[in-house]
Amino acid sequence: MTKDSIQTIEQSMNVDWQQLALKTLQGELITKEEALQVLQADDDELLAVMDAAFRIRKHYYGKKVKLNLIVNAKSGLCPEDCGYCSQSIVSNAPVTKYPLLEKDVLVDGAKRAMELQAGTYCIVASGRGPTKRELEQVTAAVAEIKATMPLKICACLGILTDEQSKQLKEAGVDRYNHNLNTSEDHYAHITSTHTYEDRVHTVEQAKQSGISPCSGVIIGMGETDEQLVNVAMALRELDADSIPVNFLNAIPGTPLEQLSNLNPRRCLKALAMFRFVCPTKEIRASGGREVNLRTMQALALYAANSIFIGDYLTTEGQEAAADHAMIEDMGFEIETCAL
Ligand code: SF4
């Protein structure tokens, strides 16, 4: 631990978290140092930090929780080498591999989203970027879903060209997800086949096409506190509307399989930090929620206003009924699908 970190922890013992929330609510951006204080708050301060984050969350989102359902539209077979991903070329994890799902299967997934009260259906495909045929298949499914169901559609298909993002917009895609994942100076430790810049560029491109940008992180990939704060600040700068905060689920067979430095308190403080840094944005407690937050999952809702329901790409989530019950037990309510 550096001298600076020790100093920040000491300072965090004296922070008035409610005052920091008030400053945020008054429209003032919090500084990098303040974000670090949230992240490095003493465990004894955890409830005070979450209470202050809740004050901000409640101001912008009340007690509503947005549900998102993922379909793994194309699994495995990816030439990229993202160290956290079970579908990458360097992963030995035994994942099911299949090409892009047929249109009808994608539409059936949207019906399942409706059944589970998910307002957003996320069509996620592995790979560096979509082929012409894949894009046509996705846009055909999106057009049908948008014509028949009151769902928001988020697509996550990798790196996009300008033309591809326009095609997605025309088909009715509301949101495009492309996570920054980690800070610029940590990126090369996680992936070598594309750059942080490539990711920023795709988010910008989606934005320019009129699609709402969704971009987030995976925490627990060996980043420092400063690097986690830096990527939060970068997402604030990028003006991402929706920020998924994933917690590394170190899958055996992936290069990061040995990493497991998270605990539920750290995950909660990270969510709170994102709420403070990006107060008005959708903060989603995302992949790895169940395995990393464990018995403290429900507390995530004090900072986050959005979660995934159902399974993740190659790992299982908890039963949808358990998520519905968690929201009800907390006295929160599901945000209904309305466009
Ligand atoms: S995260 Fe996406 S681009 Fe990276 S290896 Fe996995 S599927 Fe491929």
Side-chain angles (χ1 to χ4, degrees):
M1 193 177 286
T2 63
K3 206 170 141 222
D4 283 354
S5 301
I6 293 169
Q7 206 179 6
T8 310
I9 291 170
E10 282 170 2
Q11 283 165 357
S12 83
M13 305 287 284
N14 300 315
V15 176
D16 183 337
W17 304 112
Q18 288 295 329
Q19 200 52 41
L20 194 59
L22 188 62
K23 168 179 163 171
T24 307
L25 288 171
Q26 286 167 342
E28 221 181 300
L29 298 178
I30 74 162
T31 63
K32 191 175 162 186
E33 289 67 36
E34 287 166 331
L36 266 176
Q37 286 172 344
V38 175
L39 194 60
Q40 297 178 339
D42 189 83
D43 281 348
D44 291 354
E45 296 282 302
L46 180 61
L47 288 183
V49 168
M50 296 310 290
D51 185 38
F54 178 59
R55 186 169 173 190
I56 305 169
R57 181 250 204 255
K58 195 169 165 219
H59 178 81
Y60 292 108
Y61 293 97
K63 292 163 98 176
K64 297 250 191 294
V65 181
K66 194 173 158 232
L67 301 181
N68 306 263
L69 180 78
I70 287 186
V71 61
N72 192 359
K74 175 186 166 195
S75 182
L77 311 164
C78 186
E80 301 296 293
D81 68 352
C82 308
Y84 52 86
C85 178
S86 57
Q87 306 185 70
S88 81
I89 194 154
V90 292
S91 160
N92 297 315
V95 296
T96 316
K97 297 177 179 147
Y98 51 83
L100 195 75
L101 297 174
E102 293 298 328
K103 184 184 88 167
D104 290 352
V105 184
L106 294 176
V107 173
D108 283 347
K111 291 176 188 157
R112 169 115 179 102
M114 293 291 295
E115 283 163 18
L116 296 178
Q117 301 177 66
T120 302
Y121 179 49
C122 308
I123 301 176
V124 184
S126 62
R128 184 177 171 86
T131 63
K132 187 168 180 290
R133 199 175 146 269
E134 287 169 345
L135 201 79
E136 282 167 6
Q137 224 161 299
V138 170
T139 50
V142 171
E144 184 168 331
I145 295 164
K146 293 300 282 186
T148 52
M149 290 173 248
L151 281 175
K152 284 200 170 149
I153 305 284
C154 179
C156 175
L157 312 173
I159 296 171
L160 290 182
T161 65
D162 188 26
E163 187 50 38
Q164 287 173 327
S165 55
K166 283 184 190 145
Q167 283 174 264
L168 288 171
K169 172 69 183 167
E170 277 162 25
V173 167
D174 299 284
R175 186 159 270 178
Y176 196 79
N177 167 264
H178 204 56
N179 292 333
L180 293 187
N181 287 325
T182 194
S183 68
E184 186 170 12
D185 60 348
H186 191 50
Y187 204 83
H189 295 276
I190 304 302
T191 306
S192 73
T193 47
H194 59 263
T195 63
Y196 177 89
E197 258 318 302
D198 288 330
R199 291 204 162 240
V200 171
H201 183 67
T202 287
V203 178
E204 294 283 13
Q205 201 144 40
K207 213 157 69 167
Q208 275 163 24
S209 305
I211 302 178
S212 162
C214 171
S215 187
V217 296
I218 304 174
I219 73 167
M221 298 199 295
E223 72 281 353
T224 63
D225 289 352
E226 286 78 7
Q227 286 170 329
L228 185 50
V229 166
N230 285 344
V231 67
M233 295 287 169
L235 289 165
R236 179 165 84 184
E237 191 75 14
L238 253 185
D239 204 19
D241 291 329
S242 170
I243 302 176
V245 178
N246 296 281
F247 313 96
L248 181 71
N249 183 354
I251 299 172
T254 60
L256 299 189
E257 66 180 346
Q258 302 297 345
L259 276 185
S260 68
N261 59 1
L262 294 176
N263 64 52
R265 282 121 31 230
R266 165 78 175 178
C267 297
L268 290 170
K269 287 174 211 168
L271 284 170
M273 185 271 285
F274 274 90
R275 174 57 66 205
F276 274 100
V277 173
C278 304
T280 63
K281 304 298 186 180
E282 175 186 340
I283 306 291
R284 187 178 320 146
S286 297
R289 161 169 60 98
E290 292 87 343
V291 294
N292 285 295
L293 281 153
R294 302 190 284 276
T295 56
M296 294 172 80
Q297 279 189 68
L299 283 180
L301 296 178
Y302 279 120
N305 64 302
S306 177
I307 59 171
F308 282 113
I309 192 158
D311 294 335
Y312 302 100
L313 291 174
T314 62
T315 56
E316 289 183 355
Q318 67 182 9
E319 288 295 320
D323 282 335
H324 288 156
M326 175 175 79
I327 292 165
E328 195 184 330
D329 290 349
M330 290 286 288
F332 286 43
E333 58 178 303
I334 296 170
E335 191 176 312
T336 48
C337 322
L339 288 177

